[in-house]
Amino acid sequence: AQSVTQLGSHVSVSEGALVLLRCNYSSSVPPYLFWYVQYPNQGLQLLLKYTSAATLVKGINGFEAEFKKSETSFHLTKPSAHMSDAAEYFCAVWRGSGDKLTFGTGTRLAVRP
Amino acid sequence: EAGVAQSPRYKIIEKRQSVAFWCNPISGHATLYWYQQILGQGPKLLIQFQNNGVVDDSQLPKDRFSAERLKGVDSTLKIQPAKLEDSAVYLCASSLSGTAGNTIYFGEGSWLTVV
């Protein structure tokens, strides 16, 4: 079974609209969860990470994500999309010692003017 | 603070040729990673070093890929001979340690096209 699943390979929103990118994970132990962003022709940049300190995690550029254990989800949101948010977003899970960081297949976000 | 440096940024080679990528991690980071990212997919770990020792190379195609991290700082990833399916972005990354949950910082990647 996939350790992390991103629903929707492509998401398109209008500028100013809510951004919601979905991520579900599977883990038998408390996981560490990450969201990375990749702009065209660039490497990955950390947006935010969950390390069990707080279920609502705030990141850079106005993004935030909420860890919901009951739903095994870690969805990424932003209240108002900006043109500069157009990029590919990757959710990743690290299921404790002995495991490694495993990435989802990514969601490409397009922002319409 | 300087980030993870990689070179070359772009490389086009013919199949069966060889190529090498270089990486310089963030200063003080003991753990260095090489990931392969094929178009349309998430990055996949090829090899992880802790200082100059290999921690995990279970997904490295050892018949054609090799990597080393001499002196526990810089690293080189080599592919010989290259196949068409090796066309991908090779991302180098580093972290303070390999402890679960540590933030992993990525370089801008080396884009390989095999023709």
Side-chain angles (χ1 to χ4, degrees):
Chain A
Q2 292 283 350
S3 53
V4 58
T5 302
Q6 291 185 245
L7 294 174
S9 58
H10 291 82
V11 170
S12 180
V13 300
S14 298
E15 191 172 20
L18 171 73
V19 175
L20 170 61
L21 304 183
R22 300 178 185 275
C23 174
N24 288 87
Y25 68 91
S26 64
S27 179
S28 59
V29 299
Y32 299 97
L33 295 160
F34 302 77
W35 276 100
Y36 281 87
V37 61
Q38 187 174 34
Y39 297 102
N41 298 325
Q42 294 188 24
L44 278 73
Q45 180 183 3
L46 181 69
L47 274 178
L48 50 82
K49 73 174 184 180
Y50 167 75
T51 57
S52 78
T55 56
L56 183 62
V57 183
K58 294 188 183 297
I60 62 172
N61 302 337
F63 284 93
E64 63 182 36
E66 187 172 9
F67 173 70
K68 291 187 176 180
K69 184 178 178 180
S70 61
E71 299 177 9
T72 61
S73 69
F74 190 58
H75 301 330
L76 182 71
T77 60
K78 182 174 180 177
S80 177
H82 192 273
M83 297 297 291
S84 61
D85 295 327
E88 186 138 26
Y89 293 79
F90 291 93
C91 182
V93 63
W94 199 335
R95 296 176 293 185
S97 60
D99 191 34
K100 57 180 179 283
L101 188 66
T102 302
F103 287 86
T105 52
T107 297
R108 185 168 297 276
L109 175 67
V111 182
R112 304 185 302 271
Chain B
E1 180 182 90
V4 177
Q6 292 188 244
S7 68
R9 287 294 315 278
Y10 304 95
K11 192 76 175 177
I12 301 174
I13 62 172
E14 295 182 351
K15 59 184 179 183
R16 293 186 289 274
Q17 287 188 325
S18 63
V19 64
F21 301 113
W22 172 85
C23 172
N24 182 242
I26 293 173
S27 178
H29 281 194
T31 308
L32 185 147
Y33 311 81
W34 283 102
Y35 286 82
Q36 180 193 55
Q37 185 181 16
I38 293 172
L39 187 65
Q41 299 180 20
K44 181 186 80 171
L45 180 68
L46 289 177
I47 188 167
Q48 175 183 343
F49 293 94
Q50 180 71 20
N51 297 309
N52 59 352
V54 175
V55 173
D56 183 350
D57 63 357
S58 58
Q59 298 193 85
L60 186 75
K62 298 180 186 63
D63 58 334
R64 297 181 300 106
F65 286 65
S66 65
E68 60 182 9
R69 190 184 185 197
L70 300 177
K71 301 180 182 178
V73 181
D74 294 5
S75 177
T76 302
L77 176 70
K78 296 179 181 177
I79 307 174
Q80 181 179 17
K83 292 185 174 181
L84 295 178
E85 59 260 37
D86 298 332
S87 294
V89 182
Y90 291 87
L91 295 163
C92 181
S94 70
S95 63
L96 277 173
S97 76
T99 303
N102 259 216
T103 297
I104 297 178
Y105 298 88
F106 287 81
E108 293 196 321
S110 292
W111 301 67
L112 174 65
T113 301
V114 182
V115 297

